[in-house]
Each structure stands twice: as structure tokens, then as C-alpha cells.
Amino acid sequence: MVLARPEVDGPTHRRDVRGSAARLGLMVLPVAFFAIFFAWPVASIVERGLRVDGTWRFGGFARTLARPEILDVLWFTLWQALASTALTLLLALPGAYVFARFDFPGKGVLRAVVTVPFVLPTVMVGTAFLALVGRRGLLDELWGVRLDTGVWAILLAHVFFNYAVVVRTVGGLWAQLDPRQEEAARMLGASRWTAWRTVTLPALVPAVGAAALMVFLFTAGSFAVVQILGGPTYSTLETEIYRQTVVRFDLGTAAVLTLVQFAAVGAILAVHARTVRRRETALRLVAPERTARRPRGPGQWTLFGAVLLSIALLIVLPLVVLAERSLDTPEGYGPGYYRALQETDPSGTFLVPLTDTIVNSLQYAVVATGLAVLIGGLAAAALTRRAGRFVRGFDALLMLPLGVSAVTVGFGFLITLDEPPLDLRSSWILVPLAQALVGVPFVVRTMLPVLRAVDDRLREAAAVLGASPLRAWREVDLPLVRRALLIAAGFAFAVSLGEFGATVFIARPDRPTLPVAVARLLGRPGELNYGQAMALSTILMAVCAVSLLLLERLRTDRTSGEF
Amino acid sequence: MNTKKSAAAALVAALGVTTLAACGGSGDTTADAPAPKTVRLVSHDSFNASEEVLAEFERKTGFTIEVVKSGDAGEAVNKEILTKGNPQGDVFFGVDNTLLSRALDNGIFVPYEAKGLDRVPAALRTDAKHRVTPVDSGDICVNYDKKYFADKKLDPPQTFDDLAKPAYKDLLVVENPERSSPGLGFLLGTAARYGDDGWQDYWTRLKANGVKTVDSWELAYNQEFSGSAGGRKAKGDRPLVVSYASSPPVEVLYSEPQPKDAPTGVSTGTCFRQTEFAGLLDGARNPEGGKLLIDFLISKTFQDDMPLQMFVNPVAADATLPELFTRHGVVIDDPQTMTPEEIARNRDEWIKSWSSLVLK
């Protein structure tokens, strides 16, 4: 672009055209990725279920949905997800505030710790929770509180799992809101509450909405938590699809349920898009370091203490139970099980020492994170500008993988990605691809609120000064979203490290990941197997925490006052 | 550019490069996938074999062996049915009698009579057309916690009938037959023992006697059962669990130091026998290698290796059981069995009645 142009109308128009062309360009890769690795496999497996001998059978719809046990499943799925989401927000929003606004020693470590549950194989979550709330568990011994299996155990495990989603997505934005705006409102006479309600709350709504949406999708699609802690009597849509696909091989019923899942997720996304979009405004963002300070006054200290206590009880305690068991050997406390990880298995089951699984997991996770950040980043950049219906629809589509059954996607992979050049069924790349599919929505959701909060006039100013769209993005958007990008990458990385469902049947036997090895160890009798499973889980927790800390470190070497 | 910018740029660049490398990698793998010198074995997650044993196959035949683990047993079979005609590999191993009919009815295998099949007892060679070859067998049995029964000076239960007696009230934990294969085996065992008319009555008695149901073997064995290492730590309080006849030797194998006696025992009158089969997949890219692989699966080399790898019993008459099995394991003389056809005919109906009877 030539620097000084006398016309006023021309460039604006041309910039619009070029803007939408650029947007389409940005969207090519995400659309292709989504179409090949999600839409096509899912559509194929649904078709397989609904089309018998060349004719579509839609009659099964009404029949399936009229079955009382299916209605029970739908009802339970809905209300437990709503309850889980509400409980998670209730407990985690104060946490998000504390992480965003308070400065305290060990904050980075604690932030990493609350994200650890995210990566734990769900089998371990079940074990940890039963140790805490089950028969003769800690709560039982202390206060006679015993939840064993049942709805409360499911809800608490969901909070344990999703706490980090709220803290990271909401807290990430909250930390960057300029507190001086709220202070200004108070100087003008508003009460503390009014100031917060009229200034901070509206700014947070999109991020809270995004977090609630993700928690809802996760808990509605909850599989292992419900299976382990719910006992055999509770069933969600997700466990039902698994049952129909894998146990009964009734692809017709599974297809109907998949479409129901689609419709439900689609409806939720539509509502979300409408409510959030109206509230999104350009915000004044500042460096998070400048907004946090030590708690002051009894009110703040109480809040701070309450949040720390809830984190200690809900998140740290179950993790400590696992670590404790990994050290509890027959000869007393010691590193025996950890030492055993380096030795060869007596039966030679694992062709490699178990410590190698750490390397495998990290390698997969790096590739998956790269894919998720690339795809999700491009999509978020494309979705930033105020956009037409088509683009908004695409925004919603990218969230679908979070709400759709892993079994459906996995079986879809098998019948679609089976011809060269895309016969990926036994290729290692399928692992990071499947993991990235779940990572992308996190990247998009974490980055979008921040990107949309960037004042468009900054970009326009850059463009007027002659910056190309790429340069404008680099100079205006990137510095503001770098933090969101790192948070998003951390999420994607954590998801990949802990991903189990897809990995377990794709990962080559000579390259097991940490969660896969844990599950295999738990799958057979013996002291040593159990102890090693606990030790590997503890290592998984540590690897995750350290990786997240390192990712956060990436942003500490900044010079302040950049904004 | 300040340091922060360069760090972020480096990160973005690094991610971009890994992504590109990843894409390149995928292209390579797909291009050389149908290499004629490779034979691919598809199996469930529990498949294991020692490296030396697989190496021997490769040395003898010149084919490289590649193992694809395809989920749990049910999942793996379903995937083969879905990919019929364009399978993930050449040979499928791990379909058992509870799922055999589903596999055979869907025609995923082509007939091949393995060399050395005459060394396998006729009773196990159920498919006259040789679409599948029996490879191993295992017994699903109730296991008991030796210490518990010694402390209580109570004889451990030995038969299905015993389990319903008041002396063993609130002691047994079983798996949901709909979601777990030992759970299904145990249900089929009771159906075989008491017949189509009597098994529901038996389960009514079991329920009255306080049987507990959980969803998976892992939960039952590692959480609820008081006799296993995991269960002891989790303070499990059920001294009876549905597991395998081979579980006690495995408890010994994975203890340090290995105890003289296994901490758990087997109620020998509560067993249901499972047989696992292998077959040559229709549409295999390397049928020649596949046939050699099936021969190999029932060879003495593989059969001798199997017990300590997958904790099942060999089927070949000339195979020798490892000392661990002969010392700590039991031979089940008279297990319950059922033909694949009968299982296929009744499985869904039985599970449904079981659910409304026991879970409701």
C-alpha cells in the first residue's frame, strides 16, 4: 500500500475487500482440517448407521427417542451438566479473581497445579476421588462424610477437572482489564458493587460465557468420570453412544444419538453466540503484572483464604493421595516403584522402559499443540473481525468436537481415512491429529475474547499508516494476545498429554504414552503394577505442571510498559 | 524486536516447523504402508508377546511384524466389521467365544487351515470351516482373599451355589456384564450352570445376598477387592471378586519380593471358559504372510511365551506351562462353557434382564 493516499472513500472500500479476502485465506486451513478430520468421519459413521442397503431409515428416530431409557439418559445428561457447570463457576470464579487480581508467592506454581487434573487419566481421577470421598476415605474418617459413588461424586469430580478452564479463560482476561476504569467509576460516586457491575462484569461476560460453555460441553460429554463414579446406574449421552456402538454394535441407535448430541450442542452454541456477541466491546487491556497486588483488608484476605482452602481440599488433596500411594511400598515409604519404572518388566510387556513413555507423551503433545495453535490461531484471527453469518457459523462449528463423542469420531476415522494418500489408520500422526481436534476449541475460545477486545481503531490506525494486514496483526494484535496464545497453548498441551480415548487404540504398542501405560498397568493384578501406575501418574502430574510453568515463563522476560 | 517478541516468534516458528514435519511424516507413512515385506497383526489392547519371539518369526519368514492395538476386545471386533474388505491388517487375533458369532456372521475372515492345528484339542476347534483358529483359553472365576477367610476361620466359597449362602453375605463384587468382559463371562457362567429358566432366580438370590456391581474389572479388582495390592491400599472391603484363574500367579509375579504363596485363591466351581481365536482378514494385503502368522500363533514358540505375556493358557498340546502357573495357578477341570451361537442368540436379552433384575 502506498503511504499517503489522498482519496478518502477508495481505500476503505478496498481495505474491506482485501480484509474479507484475507479472512478467507486465513480460514482455508482450519476449514480443511475441520472438514477432513471431523465433519467427514462423523458424517460417514452417521450415514453408516442410518442408511441400510442404500435407503435412509429415519423411522428409527421417533422410536429411539420414545424409549424411556433413552429419555432418562438425555435428562440425566442435561441436568448433571448444568449442575456441574453451575458448581464449577460458583467455586472457580472466585479463584479466577484471586489469580487475576492478587499477587502472592507461588502463584505461578499454584496456577500450574490447578491445571494438573486436566491431564490425569480419568481412571486415576476415579481412584483419587474414591480415596477422598469413598468408603473409609479421608472425609469418611474425619467427618463421616461418605459420597462413595453417585451424583455428588460426579459433580465434585467435574469441578476438580474443570476448575482450570474457568481460572484460565476468565482469569486470563480479568488480569488484563484495566482496574483504573473501575476506580474512575467509583470516583464518580458509584458504589463498589455498582462499579464492578457496570464496568468489570460486562467486560468479563464473554469470557465467563466461553468458560461456561466449555465446562458444559465437557461435562455433558463426560465419559469416564460418569462410568467410574456414577456406578452402573448412571448413563450420559456419551456413555450411551459408547454402549450402543461398542457393546451392542447398534450403529442406527448410535447415529440417532449422535444427531441428538449435534442438535443440542448446536442449540447451545447458537444461544451462546447471541448472548455473548451483544456484549463484546473493545476493552482497555493492560499488562497483567500491573493489575495484581497483595490482598488488602479483612474482606480480601477472607476471600483469598477461602479460595486457597477450596483449592487445597478439592484439587490438591486428591493429587496428594495419588502421590502418597506411589511412595507407599511394602517396605515402607520410599522410591521403590519409581526405581522399578526404569527396569524391564518381568514379562517384557512394555518393549521399552516405562520412563520412555514420558518422552513419547511429550513428543505427541508438542506436535498436537503445534497443530492446535496453528489451526486455532488462524481461525481466531479470521473470526476476529465483525463477520457475516457464514463466518459466525464456522465459529460455532469449531466448538463441535468438544461436544461430540470420541467413539463416533474414532470409528469415523476408520471408515474414511482408509485410502491412500489418507490411510492414516495406523499412522502415528493420527494421535496428535485427534488430540489437536480437542485442542483447537480451547485455542479459539481463549484467544477470541482477547482479540475481539482489541480496539479496531488500532488496526485501522496501523493500516492508515501503511501497515499490511499481516504487519498490522503482528504489531497490534500479537502483542496483546501473546498471553492468551500461551494460555491456549498450555491448554492444548495439557489436553494432549492426558488424552487417552483416542490415543489408546492409535498409539503404536512400542510407543505407549503415559496415560496409556498407566491404564495398562492398572489392567492387571499385582503390587508392582499398581504401584508403578501410581508412580507414572505422579510423574504425569509433575511433567504437566513443569511444562505449564515453562510455558508461563516464556512471558516473564518482557520489558514492562509495553502497552 | 525485544526479547519477548523473539521468544514468541521462536515459539511460533518452532510450532510451524513441527507441524510441517508432522505433515511430511504422515505422507511418508501412508506411502510405504502396504510394503510387501510387512505382515500386520490387529489385536486388542491386551495383546503382548516377547520381543525374541516376534524376532524369531521375522527371522524364519523374512516378514516384519507390525502390531496394531485396536481397543478393548469388543471395540476391536467392531472395528474389523466396520472396515470389512479394507482391513487395518492381515490377521486379527483376539475374538473370543462371546463375540465370535458377530465376527463370523459379518464375514470378516477367509478360511485358512493352520499348519499344526491337529495339536489343538478338537473341543476347541469349533469352526469347521477354519475361518478362525483357536489360540488361547482362559477361565473367568471368582477370586478370594486368602487372608480374610483365614482370619475369619471361614472356608472360601467354591461353587456358584456357595456364593448365594448367608455365610458369604455382602462379600462379592462383580462387573457389569454390559460393560466388562469378565462381567459378561460370569453372567454366561451362571446361565450355563442354571439354564435359561434358573439363572434369573440365582441372581435374585445373589442380590439378596448383597452382591455389589461396578462397571469395570479395574474398579472391582483394584478398588473393591480386599485381596489385591490396589484394593488393600484403597481399603477395599469385598473379599470376593470376579476375575481370572490366572490372577493369583500374576499377583505373585508382580510382587517384590515374590511371596511363597499367592495372596489370593480361585473358587474353582465358579468358572466360565473363554477361548480366543485368530483369523485371516478378508482383503488382507499380505495373505501369504498372514497365513504364516496364524501358523506361528499356534507354534510351540508362541504358545510357550503366551502365559506370562497375556496370562492365558496355551491351546497347543505340546506347549509347556511356566512354573509360575503350575505352582500358583489352578487347573479348572470342569468350567462352564457355551457355544458362540447360543451366546449370540441370547446375549442382549440376558444382559437386559440382568440389568432390570440386578441394577434396578
Side-chain angles (χ1 to χ4, degrees):
Chain A
M1 198 188 204
V2 182
L3 243 179
R5 265 188 192 269
E7 306 95 333
V8 178
D9 296 321
T12 326
H13 175 68
R14 233 167 283 167
R15 212 164 54 229
D16 274 2
V17 172
R18 220 171 60 174
S20 54
R23 182 159 62 219
L24 284 178
L26 288 172
M27 281 173 61
V28 168
L29 195 57
V31 169
F33 178 80
F34 184 82
I36 296 174
F37 297 112
F38 182 73
W40 182 35
V42 172
S44 304
I45 192 80
V46 168
E47 183 200 344
R48 185 74 79 97
L50 291 181
R51 205 159 78 161
V52 183
D53 305 323
T55 45
W56 291 90
R57 305 269 168 89
F58 291 110
F61 254 90
R63 245 178 297 124
T64 303
L65 294 179
R67 272 153 59 187
E69 76 268 22
I70 298 286
L71 288 176
D72 283 350
V73 165
L74 294 177
W75 172 237
F76 178 71
T77 306
L78 182 69
W79 84 252
Q80 68 82 20
L82 283 173
S84 298
T85 309
L87 196 63
T88 307
L89 286 178
L90 187 75
L91 287 166
L93 277 178
Y97 176 78
V98 164
F99 277 106
R101 286 295 197 234
F102 290 162
D103 202 12
F104 53 93
K107 182 167 153 181
V109 175
L110 197 62
R111 196 186 355 242
V113 166
V114 301
T115 316
V116 165
F118 218 72
V119 305
L120 278 189
T122 28
V123 188
M124 302 309 309
V125 174
T127 310
F129 257 77
L130 286 175
L132 195 64
V133 302
R135 147 189 34 83
R136 284 199 270 162
L138 203 62
L139 297 184
D140 192 10
E141 309 245 293
L142 286 178
W143 299 299
V145 177
R146 189 176 142 179
L147 304 168
D148 216 342
T149 53
V151 173
W152 278 104
I154 293 178
L155 296 184
L156 284 180
H158 281 161
V159 176
F160 172 76
F161 250 136
N162 294 309
Y163 195 92
V165 176
V166 178
V167 166
R168 292 192 161 244
T169 35
V170 179
L173 180 68
W174 208 332
Q176 283 182 277
L177 290 181
D178 193 341
R180 279 172 303 183
Q181 288 176 311
E182 205 177 306
E183 281 154 22
R186 294 196 57 202
M187 296 243 272
L188 293 171
S191 70
R192 187 184 284 266
W193 162 244
T194 313
W196 186 80
R197 190 172 52 85
T198 52
V199 177
T200 307
L201 184 65
L204 283 181
V205 163
V208 175
L213 182 70
M214 278 195 284
V215 175
F216 184 88
L217 289 178
F218 260 112
T219 51
S222 181
F223 180 72
V225 164
V226 173
Q227 195 134 357
I228 293 169
L229 295 172
T233 38
Y234 292 104
S235 219
T236 59
L237 199 48
E238 189 90 358
T239 53
E240 189 63 18
I241 288 175
Y242 179 84
R243 194 174 79 102
Q244 297 292 348
T245 311
V246 171
V247 183
R248 300 175 55 90
F249 204 50
D250 181 350
L251 295 181
T253 305
V256 171
L257 294 178
T258 302
L259 290 177
V260 169
Q261 209 174 28
F262 257 102
V265 174
I268 295 158
L269 293 171
V271 171
H272 169 80
R274 284 185 75 87
T275 49
V276 166
R277 201 163 312 277
R278 257 185 268 131
R279 312 230 187 196
E280 270 171 1
T281 42
L283 301 171
R284 226 174 126 186
L285 298 183
V286 295
E289 287 75 13
R290 288 167 49 193
T291 67
R293 51 185 168 72
R294 294 186 74 81
R296 271 194 309 227
Q300 292 196 351
W301 276 107
T302 312
L303 176 70
F304 182 63
V307 164
L308 287 192
L309 186 70
S310 68
I311 290 177
L313 278 177
L314 254 167
I315 296 173
V316 177
L317 206 57
L319 299 180
V320 168
V321 169
L322 289 187
E324 189 261 339
R325 284 194 187 169
S326 74
L327 292 169
D328 183 12
T329 68
E331 301 96 53
Y333 284 98
Y337 294 135
Y338 291 87
R339 263 203 305 271
L341 291 177
Q342 292 153 33
E343 293 158 15
T344 10
D345 189 7
S347 78
T349 299
F350 294 99
L351 299 176
V352 292
L354 282 165
T355 36
D356 283 15
T357 59
I358 302 167
V359 179
N360 294 342
S361 281
L362 287 173
Q363 283 172 341
Y364 282 131
V366 165
V367 179
T369 308
L371 283 169
V373 167
L374 179 72
I375 308 276
L378 286 173
L383 292 168
T384 308
R385 325 282 164 93
R386 297 280 172 267
R389 188 164 295 165
F390 167 69
V391 176
R392 287 213 302 267
F394 179 63
D395 177 7
L397 275 182
L398 282 174
M399 297 293 289
L400 275 178
L402 281 188
V404 169
S405 158
V407 182
T408 310
V409 181
F411 272 51
F413 271 6
L414 276 180
I415 59 168
T416 45
L417 306 177
D418 65 339
E419 300 280 351
L422 273 178
D423 186 0
L424 304 180
R425 292 176 303 177
S426 54
S427 160
W428 67 272
I429 190 71
L430 214 48
V431 176
L433 279 173
Q435 293 171 348
L437 209 51
V438 187
V440 166
F442 279 96
V443 177
V444 175
R445 281 301 115 191
T446 318
M447 289 183 68
L448 258 188
V450 180
L451 276 173
R452 285 199 172 129
V454 174
D455 197 329
D456 219 20
R457 281 171 302 184
L458 284 176
R459 298 190 188 102
E460 277 161 17
V464 168
L465 292 173
S468 67
L470 181 66
R471 176 116 192 256
W473 190 83
R474 207 181 65 210
E475 300 289 341
V476 176
D477 294 71
L478 189 61
L480 291 168
V481 300
R482 202 170 284 148
R483 185 184 152 73
L485 189 73
L486 287 172
I487 290 172
F491 257 133
F493 194 78
V495 169
S496 315
L497 267 187
E499 209 284 333
F500 176 70
T503 315
V504 69
F505 58 78
I506 303 168
R508 300 235 302 270
D510 55 336
R511 295 203 59 197
T513 64
L514 275 168
V516 169
V518 168
R520 285 196 201 147
L521 286 167
L522 283 177
R524 56 164 110 135
E527 177 83 56
L528 207 54
N529 286 323
Y530 188 82
Q532 289 188 72
M534 296 298 146
L536 264 191
S537 295
T538 310
I539 291 177
L540 179 60
M541 296 192 285
V543 167
C544 172
V546 168
S547 312
L548 291 171
L549 277 175
L550 285 179
L551 265 174
E552 299 220 353
R553 279 274 170 266
L554 279 178
R555 64 182 179 82
T556 56
D557 54 355
R558 60 168 42 156
T559 47
S560 64
E562 186 170 325
F563 299 111
Chain B
M1 228 191 215
N2 62 27
T3 44
K4 185 185 158 203
K5 270 184 190 157
S6 41
L11 178 71
V12 170
L15 294 177
V17 169
T18 35
T19 313
L20 288 178
C23 294
S26 79
D28 295 345
T29 3
T30 48
D32 63 17
K37 280 286 139 195
T38 300
V39 57
R40 209 178 265 173
L41 174 70
V42 188
S43 188
H44 49 57
D45 292 338
S46 315
F47 177 84
N48 282 312
S50 343
E51 219 167 344
E52 312 90 75
V53 166
L54 295 182
E56 188 176 323
F57 171 80
E58 298 185 340
R59 204 173 50 244
K60 275 189 177 158
T61 64
F63 288 116
T64 312
I65 188 165
E66 232 179 79
V67 180
V68 178
K69 292 197 186 185
S70 193
D72 67 33
E75 203 172 315
V77 171
N78 292 353
K79 284 183 188 167
E80 287 319 303
I81 296 173
L82 272 180
T83 57
K84 186 189 158 186
N86 182 15
Q88 301 184 78
D90 304 301
V91 170
F92 181 78
F93 162 71
V95 56
D96 63 32
N97 40 336
T98 64
L99 288 167
L100 185 61
S101 281
R102 186 185 285 173
L104 293 182
D105 292 348
N106 280 284
I108 60 171
F109 296 120
V110 288
Y112 169 67
E113 188 174 349
K115 289 196 181 65
L117 191 62
D118 49 336
R119 290 154 42 245
V120 176
L124 293 176
R125 289 184 255 145
T126 45
D127 183 39
K129 293 183 197 158
H130 299 300
R131 290 165 295 182
V132 287
T133 306
V135 174
D136 68 75
S137 77
D139 297 303
I140 291 164
C141 310
V142 168
N143 282 204
Y144 58 84
D145 175 359
K146 280 184 182 166
K147 185 172 179 301
Y148 175 91
F149 288 101
D151 289 351
K152 296 261 163 182
K153 300 200 182 358
L154 181 69
D155 285 332
Q158 284 307 330
T159 64
F160 284 115
D161 273 334
D162 286 350
L163 296 174
K165 288 180 180 159
Y168 306 108
K169 195 170 168 53
D170 296 335
L171 301 189
L172 174 66
V173 57
V174 303
E175 298 89 1
N176 183 353
E178 180 153 47
R179 298 183 185 173
S180 140
S181 62
L184 178 61
F186 186 67
L187 171 64
L188 294 175
T190 63
R193 166 71 181 75
Y194 296 101
D196 209 0
D197 310 318
W199 72 264
Q200 300 201 23
D201 187 48
Y202 174 71
W203 276 93
T204 311
R205 286 195 285 144
L206 267 193
K207 196 184 176 188
N209 212 28
V211 67
K212 179 169 186 174
T213 309
V214 294
D215 258 355
S216 67
W217 177 89
E218 283 82 355
L219 274 179
Y221 197 85
N222 288 329
Q223 283 286 341
E224 304 290 340
F225 182 45
S226 59
S228 68
R232 282 194 299 275
K233 273 186 195 158
K235 303 191 179 89
D237 59 3
R238 298 253 158 183
L240 296 173
V241 66
V242 170
S243 189
Y244 297 90
S246 59
S247 300
V250 185
E251 280 285 345
V252 174
L253 176 64
Y254 287 103
S255 295
E256 260 181 5
Q258 294 194 352
K260 261 173 57 197
D261 283 315
T264 56
V266 171
S267 305
T268 49
T270 61
C271 299
F272 176 79
R273 180 154 296 173
Q274 261 183 326
T275 309
E276 282 194 303
F277 302 86
L280 187 63
L281 287 163
D282 184 20
R285 297 204 177 109
N286 183 0
E288 281 322 301
K291 286 173 185 173
L292 292 173
L293 183 55
I294 292 181
D295 296 346
F296 179 69
L297 291 178
I298 57 167
S299 71
K300 185 168 160 55
T301 314
F302 187 84
Q303 293 273 313
D304 281 348
D305 181 51
M306 209 166 46
L308 288 183
Q309 295 297 329
M310 294 184 264
F311 312 113
V312 287
N313 294 312
V315 293
D318 55 348
T320 36
L321 268 178
E323 198 211 340
L324 188 80
F325 271 52
T326 49
R327 232 177 69 207
H328 302 285
V330 283
V331 178
I332 309 299
D333 293 324
D334 191 21
Q336 305 293 335
T337 53
M338 207 179 275
T339 65
E341 295 74 30
E342 195 181 354
I343 296 171
R345 218 171 25 246
N346 295 303
R347 183 182 45 220
D348 288 356
E349 199 47 49
W350 283 346
I351 289 177
K352 221 171 126 187
S353 328
W354 180 91
S355 296
S356 53
L357 193 74
V358 179
L359 295 183
K360 296 281 144 64

